[in-house]
Structures are given as structure tokens and as C-alpha cells.
Amino acid sequence: MAARVGCEHYTRNCLLKAPCCGKLYVCRLCHDAEESHQMDRFKVEEVQCSECQTLQQAQQACQQCHVQFGEYYCDICHLFDKDKKQYHCHPCGICRIGPREKYFHCSKCNLCLAQDLQGNHKCVENVSRQNCPVCMEDIHTSRIGAHVLPCGHLLHKTCFDDMVRTSAYRCPLCMHSAWDMEYHWDQIDKEIAQSPMPTEYQDTTVKIMCNDCQAHCTVLFHVLGMKCSGCGSYNTAQDGGLIQRPQQPHPELNDNELEANAEPGQHDELE
């Protein structure tokens, strides 16, 4: 077999003729990076064989020299590539990297998700029809897998991994915790127990809003964090200034109170 035409995105033995400008590119991503417009993959009609340079109708093998353009070929997406267990998802409208049996299509999210998320994720309608909130690149048609956060929002798996590395634990869209933080909250509990606030702040409270359960509550103020009294999360935001408990007055005794409290005979001695 002839050496495959390569790019950083796909391995194939043909070039696509862009229906928009008529230029030849290995793939639509290479085209979009070079041109000021985007290629519509679904409108591709012709390809050029990289072995004999014959321009022909898009198909899996060259009609002239019979070289195979790609181990995998989709005649809807006009996708040529090496075999990665790809499959075309009709509800998604594009090809997905498989294998098919490891994924299911969630009709509400309108996206293919891993089987272990079936019945085990929060659905957000058409959630993939928006850009990744971290890198602002498309999610639905991306070659990078999507990661579903507990809140139901999506971001690229690589962007989620970057969040974990930098200890950014909140969803960029709704600020809900991006994974189970129970262990981390327990550690903050221990740190707070070992770090009492100065006397003048020990009775100080503050109003907070919890990003995890949306509760509004008033809790003791601490510089290490304010714990939601509803769900126990420290993923909270301060809602207003500090509230200091008024000090109990200690009024001085007046002359009458002094006289009433004086011991018998005390005045005689003073005189």
C-alpha cells in the first residue's frame, strides 16, 4: 500500500477537494486552519488519490489504482481514517470514535456518552451545542472527548484534566463543584478546628450562598472557609459584610447602687 498522506488529525490516502474554494486539503481541520472560511464536510463530493493523483467521486478506494483511501470511510461525513472503531451516530449527525457498544446517545443532551453514564448523569438539553467553557472551542464536533460534570455541563476531557492539575474545582459555567469534594471538605474542617479565629472575631457571622445546593444561610466567619449549613460544602460565596454580635454592656454602678451594696458600717469607717 502507498504511504498514507498524513496530517496531525487523520491518516488517509487522499486529499479532499473543498466544495467552498476548490482547494485540496488532507482534512477539513487543516483547511479551516489555513483559510478564512470553514469547509462543510457534508458537501465534499470529490477527492484526489494520493497515489495516482486521480480526481474522482468520494469513495473508499481509488477507481483508478484501487488504493484504499482509509480503513474507515463514512459516506455521510466523508471521513477517511485508520480504524479506530468509529461509528456514525445518526442523532448526533457525525461520526464518533467507538467502539459503538461502549457508548449510548442521550436524546435530551443530544450527545453520545459513555455507557457508565446511562441513567447516571444530569441531563441538560442540547448541552453539547455550545462551546467548551474553558477553551471556547466546539464540543459537539470535536475530536476530543467530552467530560460530563455533576451539574450536567460539558467540557473537553483535556480541559477537565487541566482543571484538576490546577486545583480549579468549580464548573466554569455554574460554579458547582466539578467532582466529589467530601474528602477536601473534611480536611478544611480539621484545619479550621486547629486554627481558631482571634477573640474579637469568634462570634462574627456572615451570610453565604452555597454554589452546590443553592442554600442561603448565616454561618460563623472563618478566613479558611465558610461551611454551608445545608449540605456541608465549602464551595460558598459571601453575601454581604461581616456581622459582629454586639458586646453585652457592663454599666457602672451609680451612687445609689453603691450605697445599696455597701456593707454595714462601711460608711462610718469612711467618715
Side-chain angles (χ1 to χ4, degrees):
M1 178 178 287
R4 292 182 182 276
V5 172
C7 69
E8 61 179 305
H9 310 109
Y10 299 104
T11 302
R12 55 182 53 159
N13 261 331
C14 64
L15 300 173
L16 308 182
K17 182 178 179 181
C20 42
C21 58
K23 296 179 182 179
L24 296 171
Y25 282 93
V26 177
C27 75
R28 66 178 181 89
L29 299 173
C30 292
H31 169 278
D32 294 351
E34 292 291 329
E35 305 294 341
S36 59
H37 57 277
Q38 294 185 331
M39 180 195 295
D40 185 342
R41 73 178 85 180
F42 302 103
K43 292 183 178 179
V44 171
E45 295 181 352
E46 294 180 299
V47 298
Q48 184 184 74
C49 176
S50 59
E51 178 69 10
C52 66
Q53 284 72 54
T54 300
L55 188 65
Q56 59 200 279
Q57 182 180 353
Q59 54 197 310
Q60 188 166 14
C62 177
Q63 65 184 22
Q64 183 67 29
C65 67
H66 309 297
V67 68
Q68 189 180 61
F69 294 147
E71 294 172 345
Y72 174 83
Y73 171 61
C74 174
D75 60 0
I76 298 175
C77 299
H78 303 299
L79 173 64
F80 305 84
D81 201 7
K82 62 182 180 181
D83 185 11
K84 301 174 183 174
K85 306 299 181 184
Q86 299 97 323
Y87 66 97
H88 183 87
C89 175
H90 289 283
C92 280
I94 59 175
C95 291
R96 299 289 190 192
I97 295 177
R100 182 189 292 269
E101 60 270 16
K102 289 190 176 181
Y103 296 89
F104 75 100
H105 183 86
C106 177
S107 57
K108 185 172 182 179
C109 294
N110 202 6
L111 181 70
C112 286
L113 300 173
Q115 280 289 355
D116 59 3
L117 290 174
Q118 192 160 14
N120 190 33
H121 72 285
K122 182 178 180 180
C123 289
V124 176
E125 191 167 1
N126 287 326
V127 68
S128 72
R129 299 313 200 269
Q130 58 187 357
N131 291 338
C132 171
V134 176
C135 67
M136 301 308 296
E137 298 294 332
D138 177 62
I139 290 180
H140 185 74
T141 61
S142 175
R143 298 174 68 246
I144 302 172
H147 180 86
V148 184
L149 299 177
C151 56
H153 291 125
L154 293 182
L155 63 163
H156 289 124
K157 179 63 168 61
T158 50
C159 292
F160 175 75
D161 292 341
D162 288 341
M163 282 180 57
V164 174
R165 281 193 292 270
T166 58
S167 300
Y169 68 90
R170 297 183 179 100
C171 169
L173 293 175
C174 68
M175 304 300 287
H176 193 283
S177 293
W179 58 83
D180 185 359
M181 297 291 293
E182 185 175 356
Y183 173 78
H184 186 62
W185 301 156
D186 287 344
Q187 294 302 113
I188 296 180
D189 281 341
K190 294 176 182 177
E191 291 177 16
I192 288 178
Q194 297 170 3
S195 308
M197 291 291 289
T199 304
E200 60 269 29
Y201 287 102
Q202 285 185 358
D203 292 328
T204 300
T205 59
V206 64
K207 293 181 179 179
I208 62 169
M209 184 195 75
C210 180
N211 291 317
D212 287 339
C213 72
Q214 306 305 309
H216 291 258
C217 48
T218 300
V219 299
L220 286 174
F221 170 76
H222 200 287
V223 292
L224 296 180
M226 276 77 73
K227 184 175 185 176
C228 173
S229 58
C231 68
S233 170
Y234 280 98
N235 181 11
T236 59
Q238 188 171 322
D239 184 16
L242 303 183
I243 306 170
Q244 291 186 323
R245 184 176 298 176
Q247 297 293 322
Q248 294 297 325
H250 298 285
E252 295 182 1
L253 298 177
N254 55 36
D255 291 342
N256 292 332
E257 291 170 325
L258 282 171
E259 184 175 350
N261 292 332
E263 295 181 4
Q266 185 175 4
H267 294 292
D268 295 339
E269 293 174 2
L270 289 173
E271 292 177 349

